[in-house]
Amino acid sequence: MTEPADALSDLVSLRVERSGRVAEVTLLGPGKGNAMGPDFWRELPVVFRALDADPNVRAIVLTGSGEHFSYGLDLPAMMPRWAEYLSGGALAGPRTGFLEEIRTLQASVSALAEIRTPVIAAVAGWCIGGGVDVISAADIRLASADAKFSVREVKVAVVADLGSLQRLGAIIGEGHLRELAFTGRDIDAARAERIGLVNDVYPDRDALVAAARALAAEIAANPPLVVRGVKEVLAENTRAQVEAGLRYVSAWNSAFLPSKDLAEATQAFLERREPRFTGE
């Protein structure tokens, strides 16, 4: 891989490299397990829109640095931003601010789905919560044998609101989606392949990344305008449903997310213990 262009060289949470007509975007954190903090949400759409505007980039591989794709949302980094919204009671100002915050994060994830360039997510290790939201917006998903996936928001008293509930139904079917979203359970790479969350599973991370690069190169060798046209036509199959679902869940969470159960989930996370939910 070659060094990134200057326009994308001052990044904190992502690294961009190019080889021929393929760009590779790597999650860097800086939170543990490539957790997704403010820098990630700001940089993600910038990076993908810049690559999409580059006529020399015909396919993109997205992967994580180190052993894991992503632990998901970086709660310690994000909670200070949300404290005012979540402690504002039923007042319209804080609720409106939180609605705008959710929709900003949604737009970051949706950038992957909306660009014209195909995106291949290569997942090794853990892919949790926001990580699943991100790979759901990719066009193709591959995994290493050690990969594990979890739509875990229910475990922290949150309705997943960044795209998993809107996009995964078309990928894995409603039954599997409801099971994962209601339980928050972890699934391994073998189960992910059986239900269609990933196309193929490879022995280790090196084999995974090599396969993702080879697939991206195969796509990049095809007529670029036709490939982009295929993505546009396929996106139209679910576009209206996804957009409506994202609007609905952002309004739902801006109204109903603050709860005693959310506070308990946060406290339990900090204290490394099981939460005790009361439905309040």
Side-chain angles (χ1 to χ4, degrees):
M1 286 286 174
T2 58
E3 289 301 311
D6 291 342
L8 296 177
S9 60
D10 295 327
L11 299 169
V12 175
S13 68
L14 300 167
R15 180 176 67 243
V16 180
E17 299 169 300
R18 293 179 176 85
S19 179
R21 295 168 176 169
V22 175
E24 190 167 315
V25 180
T26 304
L27 280 64
L28 302 177
K32 182 179 180 181
N34 302 320
M36 300 167 169
D39 290 323
F40 173 82
W41 300 111
R42 182 182 66 255
E43 293 176 352
L44 186 69
V46 172
V47 165
F48 277 86
R49 288 167 185 159
L51 292 175
D52 192 48
D54 186 342
N56 295 315
V57 175
R58 297 187 180 181
I60 302 170
V61 173
L62 175 65
T63 191
S65 62
E67 297 180 2
H68 304 289
F69 183 81
S70 179
Y71 285 173
L73 194 70
D74 189 342
L75 282 174
M78 298 299 291
M79 287 304 289
R81 293 163 56 96
W82 298 344
E84 177 185 356
Y85 305 141
L86 298 177
S87 63
L91 296 178
R95 297 300 175 92
T96 301
F98 194 48
L99 175 65
E100 294 171 353
E101 174 77 1
I102 294 170
R103 289 182 174 172
T104 297
L105 300 185
Q106 289 178 339
S108 293
V109 175
S110 292
L112 276 73
E114 293 169 355
I115 65 170
R116 301 161 298 171
T117 309
V119 179
I120 301 166
V123 180
W126 281 106
C127 181
I128 302 171
V132 177
D133 289 313
V134 169
I135 68 167
S136 298
D139 297 286
I140 298 168
R141 288 151 295 279
L142 307 176
S144 60
D146 70 341
K148 296 182 179 65
F149 304 83
S150 180
V151 183
R152 195 173 289 183
E153 285 85 348
V154 70
K155 295 289 191 182
V156 291
V158 173
V159 176
D161 57 10
L162 301 185
S164 290
L165 301 187
Q166 289 71 39
R167 295 187 172 99
L168 280 181
I171 297 168
I172 65 175
E174 284 289 325
H176 292 301
L177 171 56
R178 289 169 190 260
E179 176 188 338
L180 298 183
F182 290 156
T183 65
R185 67 173 48 151
D186 308 330
I187 63 169
D188 61 15
R191 172 82 191 278
E193 184 179 24
R194 285 200 303 273
I195 66 177
L197 179 58
V198 301
N199 288 19
D200 292 293
V201 176
Y202 298 89
D204 53 39
R205 187 182 188 281
D206 289 344
L208 163 69
V209 173
R213 289 171 178 169
L215 178 57
E218 183 179 356
I219 293 170
N222 285 328
L225 296 181
V226 174
V227 171
R228 289 182 168 191
V230 169
K231 180 165 179 176
E232 275 289 313
V233 171
L234 288 172
E236 194 60 27
N237 293 336
T238 57
R239 191 193 313 274
Q241 180 179 344
V242 169
E243 290 176 353
L246 289 172
R247 286 194 303 271
Y248 186 85
V249 74
S250 63
W252 177 279
N253 270 355
S254 65
F256 297 122
L257 184 63
S259 68
K260 290 183 180 180
D261 280 346
L262 177 62
E264 166 63 11
T266 303
Q267 192 64 32
F269 173 80
L270 296 174
E271 296 175 359
R272 307 289 185 183
R273 61 171 174 82
E274 288 295 316
R276 296 179 291 272
F277 295 130
T278 61
E280 298 179 81

